[in-house]
Amino acid sequence: MLDKLEMRLRDAAHRAGLPRFWTWWIGELAPLVPAAPRSEIQRRRTRPILEFCHGEAILWTPQLKDGDVTLVQAARIVLSGDSASVAAAGRDAIAALAPYGSSTQSTAPRIVVALAPRQVLRKELVLPAAVEEDLRRTLAYDLDRHTPFRQEQLYLDVAVVGRDLAKRTIRVQWAAALRNVVDAARKQAEDWGAVVVAVVPGPAAMGRQKLNLLPAEGRPRPRLWRRWQVWAPMALVAIVALAAVLVPLAQKREYTVALLGQTEEARVQAEGADALRREFERQQNDYNYVLAKKYSWPGTIQILDDVTRVLPDDTWITQLEMKTTVKGKDIQREVFMRGESANGGRLISLLEDSRLVDQVVLRSPTTKLQPGPGEVFDLGGVLRASTPPVQRAAEANAPSSAPMSATVAPATTPPPATPPPPATPPPGS
């Protein structure tokens, strides 16, 4: 079940182009790393190679040369000589590899054994992608088509080196070697004091080998996570990455807490200012209410004065009545006048032109006086609401472009009461 899931995930990654993207991304990032650290890392990752070919063993070690990592021949051991001298030469060569293959001088160096090309059978096959789930067993079952040896006589390994998603095929590298050859080369290296981590087809070359002819049970377990050279830098990188994430968050938190304190202080001040504004508006409305009630309509003395001034000399008022009426939410003050005049109809236009009364009408037809040229009239009208003096002063001081406000602003001191001029009694009263 897990193998099928792994295969599906691998196919999905290849369809999405993740391996190609990773290769391109690493290729773009590699030039950004300084040459010296990059070469040193590559040198440390490359293990020494012990190559067996033509009756001799050549030991290759990675060395920095002109800024690049290359394999340099460290020792050449002839295998056809005396066994004791061969063993001594081999142990001396392996003992000199402590800085390359192990973390301490007391640990056996870990090396790679390379077999001669004539001792290894290699092929490249194109197979259906469906066999990738159990690739080794599939090739072992079909081994007689590729080699004259039986399965129990060989060590083999396979590696997928290419994929064709359109045709759903994979390109596989396949290598096999006789077990006695692999075991002999491994035993020779271990007798010299080395730990063999891989047996690869020769010749020796730089780069990671995908094929390893060692059986799974004979491969040493990787000790990568036991090395402080590995986990210490990784821990340092993790700490730096964690700090890069947490430090800005902590700074933002402190900034947010300080900003919240300022916001709360501003909110309290705003609430205090709003309370003062509401209290000011309440007191202003209370003060303006009295002024509005007092000056919303002309006073009785002013009405008598204006009527006396507007009416002609041939007019006498016998009755002047003022009445307040309520129509819905509107309050009106009506004026009723009765008297005698030479022309009662002309009084309507005179009163409306006086800006004192609106909607002046005759309440009843005029009656001619007998004898005499006059007539009796009965008029009614609606008083015009007057503008409070405080509002008139505010409108006079306001710019002409500003809209007129209907709110009555309170005055610093109440307006002085101007005594009205003495009223002239209407003629005939």
Side-chain angles (χ1 to χ4, degrees):
M1 184 66 181
L2 294 178
D3 294 338
K4 292 183 179 180
L5 180 60
E6 181 181 359
M7 182 178 177
R8 291 178 181 176
L9 292 177
R10 185 167 54 246
D11 291 342
H14 279 278
R15 283 194 298 268
L18 294 181
R20 293 193 301 273
F21 173 77
W22 177 256
T23 303
W24 170 81
W25 183 245
I26 293 299
E28 293 293 326
L29 292 181
L32 301 179
V33 181
R38 185 172 67 249
S39 301
E40 182 63 23
I41 292 174
Q42 185 179 3
R43 186 188 71 82
R44 287 182 174 274
R45 292 182 59 185
T46 304
R47 296 192 180 279
I49 301 176
L50 182 61
E51 181 181 7
F52 291 93
C53 62
H54 306 296
E56 59 183 5
I58 303 175
L59 184 62
W60 302 91
T61 58
Q63 297 286 342
L64 287 175
K65 188 175 183 180
D66 298 332
D68 296 328
V69 180
T70 58
L71 290 177
V72 178
Q73 180 177 323
R76 181 183 293 269
I77 305 167
V78 179
L79 302 177
S80 59
D82 181 56
S83 59
S85 60
V86 171
R91 283 192 293 269
D92 292 341
I94 296 299
L97 294 179
Y100 299 98
S102 62
S103 57
T104 61
Q105 296 287 344
S106 60
T107 306
R110 301 163 71 88
I111 66 171
V112 175
V113 172
L115 299 179
R118 62 185 181 85
Q119 295 178 327
V120 180
L121 177 62
R122 302 183 65 172
K123 281 188 177 182
E124 188 169 301
L125 307 174
V126 177
L127 301 174
V131 304
E132 185 179 2
E133 181 179 353
D134 201 359
L135 185 58
R136 293 179 61 88
R137 184 178 298 179
T138 302
L139 290 177
Y141 178 78
D142 201 23
L143 191 61
D144 56 351
R145 294 181 52 191
H146 306 290
T147 176
F149 301 100
R150 297 188 303 274
Q151 180 180 356
E152 58 270 13
Q153 294 179 307
L154 298 174
Y155 286 135
L156 61 91
D157 194 18
V158 293
V160 179
V161 295
R163 299 174 186 273
D164 190 340
L165 298 178
K167 298 181 180 180
R168 298 191 62 82
T169 58
I170 56 176
R171 190 159 49 89
V172 178
Q173 281 188 359
W174 174 88
L178 291 173
R179 293 194 176 191
N180 56 357
V181 175
V182 175
D183 292 340
R186 178 183 180 184
K187 184 177 184 303
Q188 184 72 68
E190 290 177 348
D191 290 342
W192 290 347
V195 176
V196 179
V197 297
V199 177
V200 300
M206 288 289 299
R208 181 182 178 184
Q209 295 287 342
K210 294 185 177 182
L211 298 174
N212 186 0
L213 296 176
L214 278 181
E217 61 275 7
R219 300 178 185 181
R221 294 182 178 180
R223 298 182 300 172
L224 183 63
W225 297 106
R226 298 182 183 179
R227 298 183 180 180
W228 68 269
Q229 296 95 331
V230 175
W231 60 259
M234 293 185 65
L236 181 61
V237 170
I239 292 173
V240 172
L242 191 62
V245 174
L246 295 182
V247 169
L249 292 179
Q251 293 176 348
K252 292 294 183 182
R253 181 182 179 278
E254 294 179 359
Y255 175 75
T256 303
V257 170
L259 189 61
L260 288 176
Q262 296 178 4
T263 305
E264 181 65 19
E265 183 179 355
R267 185 186 64 81
V268 173
Q269 294 178 357
E271 289 180 353
D274 188 63
L276 290 176
R277 181 184 60 81
R278 290 196 300 268
E279 179 64 20
F280 174 76
E281 290 179 352
R282 186 188 65 79
Q283 296 182 5
Q284 181 186 34
N285 293 333
D286 293 344
Y287 181 81
N288 289 340
Y289 177 78
V290 178
L291 292 180
K293 288 296 183 180
K294 181 177 180 180
Y295 294 103
S296 58
W297 307 102
T300 304
I301 297 177
Q302 183 180 356
I303 294 174
L304 291 175
D305 178 64
D306 290 344
V307 169
T308 302
R309 179 172 46 82
V310 170
L311 295 181
D313 294 339
D314 57 357
T315 302
W316 289 267
I317 295 178
T318 59
Q319 184 179 354
L320 178 63
E321 180 183 356
M322 288 181 291
K323 181 180 179 182
T324 302
T325 59
V326 179
K327 295 182 179 180
K329 294 184 179 180
D330 297 332
I331 300 177
Q332 294 181 349
R333 298 197 70 180
E334 298 178 345
V335 179
F336 306 105
M337 290 178 287
R338 291 181 182 180
E340 299 177 4
S341 178
N343 187 356
R346 187 167 62 92
L347 300 180
I348 296 176
S349 60
L350 292 176
L351 290 174
E352 288 189 349
D353 292 341
S354 67
R355 301 176 61 183
L356 177 65
V357 185
D358 284 333
Q359 304 176 14
V360 181
V361 294
L362 288 171
R363 299 175 62 192
S364 61
T366 58
T367 304
K368 291 290 185 178
L369 293 175
Q370 296 296 335
E375 57 186 6
V376 178
F377 63 89
D378 186 0
L379 298 177
V382 179
L383 282 177
R384 292 183 181 180
S386 61
T387 303
V390 177
Q391 183 175 351
R392 289 199 299 267
E395 293 175 356
N397 295 330
S400 58
S401 60
M404 297 179 62
S405 174
T407 304
V408 180
T412 307
T413 57
T418 304
T424 304
S429 59

